[in-house]
Amino acid sequence: TNGRFDNFIVGCLEIILFGFIFIIQVSIILFEAGVVNTKSTLSVLNKATFNIVSSATAFYFFGSGFANESYGGFIGSERFLC
């Protein structure tokens, strides 16, 4: 039962840290939109949205595989992307 509790704690910490990263991304978007001209706001928002989507996709394909354990392997999970 100790392993299930550890997995629960790790899962909660991952969700909290994801929330922090998302808040940081949104605050950077709002700061950049406030600094530029009104005409450039849409391009800044498009760039920031692309940044968030590409970062989430890269983490899904690479980061999650490196974050999980692989028993008997060097790095990553045994069932990568499954």
Side-chain angles (χ1 to χ4, degrees):
T1 61
N2 193 17
R4 285 180 41 191
F5 181 71
D6 290 343
N7 288 340
F8 175 75
I9 295 295
V10 169
C12 289
L13 288 175
E14 286 177 353
I15 291 171
I16 291 170
L17 292 176
F18 172 75
F20 286 155
I21 292 171
F22 185 75
I23 289 170
I24 289 170
Q25 289 279 0
V26 169
S27 64
I28 290 172
I29 291 170
L30 293 174
F31 175 74
E32 287 182 2
V35 170
V36 298
N37 298 356
T38 306
K39 295 187 308 186
S40 303
T41 302
L42 188 60
S43 65
V44 167
L45 294 177
N46 285 336
K47 179 191 72 127
T49 303
F50 176 74
N51 184 7
I52 290 173
V53 170
S54 62
S55 298
T57 304
F59 178 77
Y60 176 75
F61 284 116
F62 301 110
S64 63
F66 293 149
N68 297 322
E69 288 187 36
S70 174
Y71 300 103
F74 175 68
I75 193 168
S77 64
E78 291 181 12
R79 297 185 54 162
F80 189 59
L81 294 177
C82 292

